[in-house]
Amino acid sequence: EDKVVQSPLSLVVHEGDTVTLNCSYEVTNFRSLLWYKQEKKAPTFLFMLTSSGIEKKSGRLSSILDKKELSSILNITATQTGDSAIYLCVSSDSWGKLQFGAGTQVVVTP
Amino acid sequence: DAGVTQSPTHLIKTRGQQVTLRCSPISGHKSVSWYQQVLGQGPQFIFQYYEKEERGRGNFPDRFSARQFPNYSSELNVNALLLGDSALYLCASSFGLAVQFFGPGTRLTVL
């Protein structure tokens, strides 16, 4: 059975800290790994990773995929209160079916 | 451009009733997927439709059904509602098998 596991499940940090979120996956017919941010309702797309070892960056967020270790990390540097959210790690198979992890709840305190 | 839209926003039903949730994809997107998100968990895959045909079904009972219309909008139907069906139901659309974009969801409460 396909599964995606995220750690930690939650964490609290102070503004300005750096956060590293972990994701491991076991997925048949794996095609890509995605990260979404969920604040209230709709998850919003952050990154899609298909190649191992190539870092993707968007502002203070970055992510990388390790296909050998079947894992990915999402980094957030210089955190701000607006980064408080649930971060979802998601695998996509060759049919485009998404398998979500349980999410990591990040709370950034002023 | 409008994103994925869903209706209604909130819904309250009683056990045993039936419910229909609606989703309109982003213009040009031909694939629609449905997910159930229970509080504290990640979304669980229910259905995927592409070009009006079912492409995938998650581990949900037959009480759950869906369809996609010629304009690519979609409906999710749930019959004989149970308390455990209370959840946020998310619809996502994509162009083919590319990144899926999510709607705001429908919050279903079953009493």
Side-chain angles (χ1 to χ4, degrees):
Chain A
E1 184 179 326
D2 293 349
K3 63 179 179 180
V4 175
V5 178
Q6 293 185 244
S7 65
L9 292 182
S10 66
L11 73 162
V12 181
V13 299
H14 294 294
E15 266 191 320
D17 288 350
T18 293
V19 165
T20 298
L21 309 182
N22 301 289
C23 175
S24 64
Y25 62 91
E26 292 179 27
V27 176
T28 306
N29 298 318
F30 174 84
R31 188 172 70 95
S32 61
L33 193 291
L34 302 96
W35 286 94
Y36 285 83
K37 177 183 182 181
Q38 188 173 28
E39 292 179 83
K40 290 182 180 178
K41 285 191 174 181
T44 54
F45 171 73
L46 295 175
F47 297 109
M48 182 169 73
L49 306 160
T50 54
S51 299
S52 197
I54 299 175
E55 185 182 52
K56 289 210 171 181
K57 295 191 73 171
S58 177
R60 296 175 293 101
L61 277 67
S62 64
S63 184
I64 194 163
L65 176 67
D66 185 338
K67 283 187 173 180
K68 185 177 178 183
E69 297 296 326
L70 305 183
S71 66
S72 174
I73 61 171
L74 174 69
N75 283 312
I76 309 174
T77 59
T79 51
Q80 302 171 359
T81 54
D83 295 326
S84 295
I86 297 172
Y87 291 83
L88 296 164
C89 176
V90 191
S91 69
S92 177
D93 68 10
S94 54
W95 289 100
K97 176 187 167 184
L98 301 186
Q99 178 80 30
F100 284 78
T104 294
Q105 175 147 32
V106 175
V107 175
V108 181
T109 61
Chain B
D1 285 339
V4 178
T5 60
Q6 292 186 243
S7 63
T9 305
H10 296 89
L11 204 52
I12 299 175
K13 292 285 189 179
T14 56
R15 282 177 295 175
Q17 285 189 310
Q18 175 263 343
V19 68
T20 298
L21 311 181
R22 296 176 176 83
C23 171
S24 291
I26 292 171
S27 177
H29 285 189
K30 297 181 179 181
S31 178
V32 170
S33 299
W34 287 94
Y35 298 86
Q36 180 196 65
Q37 187 174 23
V38 175
L39 197 62
Q41 298 180 19
Q44 297 292 315
F45 171 72
I46 309 176
F47 286 107
Q48 182 184 52
Y49 278 79
Y50 179 71
E51 285 280 17
K52 292 156 282 183
E53 291 193 3
E54 183 181 305
R55 279 293 188 91
R57 168 189 275 263
N59 189 24
F60 280 80
D62 291 344
R63 300 184 295 106
F64 289 76
S65 63
R67 55 181 175 168
Q68 186 177 34
F69 299 98
N71 66 354
Y72 302 109
S73 67
S74 178
E75 285 183 352
L76 174 71
N77 294 287
V78 186
N79 293 321
L81 285 167
L82 303 174
L83 294 179
D85 295 331
S86 295
L88 179 67
Y89 288 84
L90 293 164
C91 172
S93 76
S94 63
F95 183 79
L97 299 180
V99 174
Q100 295 187 21
F101 294 91
F102 286 81
T106 293
R107 172 72 64 186
L108 172 65
T109 301
V110 182
L111 302 176

